[in-house]
Amino acid sequence: MAKMHFKYASMNSGKSIDLIRTAYNYEENGYKVFIIKPGIDTKAGNKISSRVGLERNTDLVLNSNDSLIDKLYNKINDINCILVDEAQFLAKDQVDELFIVSKSCNIPVICYGLRTDFTMNSFEGSKRLLEICDELEEIPTLCKCGEIARYVGRKVNGEYVLKGDTVVIDGTSNVEYVPLCGYCYLKKVKNINFDLFNRRCNYKKYK
């Protein structure tokens, strides 16, 4: 039986590169892939675009009120694998539909996305993916301090912020996103003063 996968990571971890590589591997072996991205991700239009310059056309740009099953109904017999970019932006019902397709049609579904937003809260899509996916895999990337970055900070005009719309695409409105480890997130974004704790628990700080 096919599995549904969620490959999650912070920003700049190579999620889109992994998706493009996976699509190539399937096609090189004669299989048909079907690539989906949520319409709310306006970056690169109807393409999957990585930060190193690799691009790939999508087969479906899915709007928030679209039924995925309806969109796939006449195509499902020709599909060997479904790949989803920016899956955190999916609606809960769309994630459930992907799970139904995976099990009823025996088609592997591989979703790529963020686990949490810039406030450390789950997106609707990523929350549901974490709840129901057969396989969860973290794609590691580094914080500037050298630790694994599992969180993302939002900067507006160069300053970290904790308020604003949940979805703001990077590169617009002077917004950028920074991958951060837990320590650096608390220190830089939430301005936690670790000196108060270090005297009590002898925590070893790093730069």
Side-chain angles (χ1 to χ4, degrees):
M1 179 61 65
K3 294 181 179 180
M4 184 167 166
H5 306 252
F6 182 31
K7 296 189 175 186
Y8 62 89
S10 184
M11 303 292 290
N12 304 330
S13 61
K15 295 185 295 296
S16 296
I17 294 173
D18 194 87
L19 185 153
I20 293 170
R21 178 189 61 80
T22 300
Y24 176 82
N25 287 344
Y26 268 93
E27 290 172 338
E28 190 178 33
N29 288 285
Y31 295 107
K32 169 68 176 176
V33 298
F34 193 85
I35 299 177
I36 300 171
K37 70 177 283 187
I40 195 170
D41 177 25
T42 55
K43 184 173 59 179
N46 66 345
K47 294 179 180 292
I48 305 296
S49 179
S50 74
R51 285 177 169 78
V52 299
L54 295 176
E55 287 189 338
R56 170 80 191 224
N57 287 329
T58 60
D59 298 291
L60 174 63
V61 176
L62 194 67
N63 295 317
S64 59
N65 59 348
D66 286 342
S67 166
L68 192 140
I69 289 177
D70 287 347
K71 295 290 184 180
L72 292 178
Y73 185 76
N74 293 321
K75 304 177 177 68
I76 203 70
N77 290 334
D78 298 323
I79 297 172
N80 300 113
C81 180
I82 296 172
L83 303 171
V84 185
D85 197 37
E86 303 292 356
Q88 72 273 5
F89 295 142
L90 295 175
K92 176 181 178 294
D93 289 346
Q94 291 169 338
V95 175
D96 288 343
E97 287 182 312
L98 282 170
F99 190 76
I100 292 169
V101 168
S102 173
K103 300 310 177 189
S104 63
C105 301
N106 197 30
I107 297 174
V109 175
I110 307 174
C111 299
Y112 296 83
L114 299 172
R115 186 179 61 166
T116 59
D117 66 16
F118 73 106
T119 65
M120 277 186 165
N121 291 308
S122 293
F123 292 91
E124 178 181 347
S126 54
K127 180 178 184 296
R128 190 59 176 158
L129 287 163
L130 289 166
E131 290 170 343
I132 69 173
C133 275
D134 300 295
E135 298 284 347
L136 302 173
E137 178 184 341
E138 181 179 36
I139 301 175
T141 191
L142 290 179
C143 179
K144 282 190 175 181
C145 72
E147 294 293 316
I148 296 297
R150 293 189 169 93
Y151 310 97
V152 59
R154 177 188 287 176
K155 282 185 172 182
V156 177
N157 296 319
E159 299 292 331
Y160 285 108
V161 297
L162 278 168
K163 294 183 178 180
D165 294 337
T166 300
V167 180
V168 179
I169 304 302
D170 57 327
T172 62
S173 305
N174 299 315
V175 169
E176 62 176 315
Y177 292 97
V178 182
L180 298 167
C181 70
Y183 180 91
C184 289
Y185 184 93
L186 293 174
K187 182 178 180 180
K188 295 179 178 182
V189 181
K190 292 204 168 184
N191 297 312
I192 299 297
N193 182 1
F194 283 101
D195 290 337
L196 298 174
F197 301 96
N198 292 337
R199 289 193 293 269
R200 189 171 183 88
C201 63
N202 195 29
Y203 187 91
K204 185 179 179 181
K205 292 197 296 183
Y206 52 85
K207 295 182 180 179

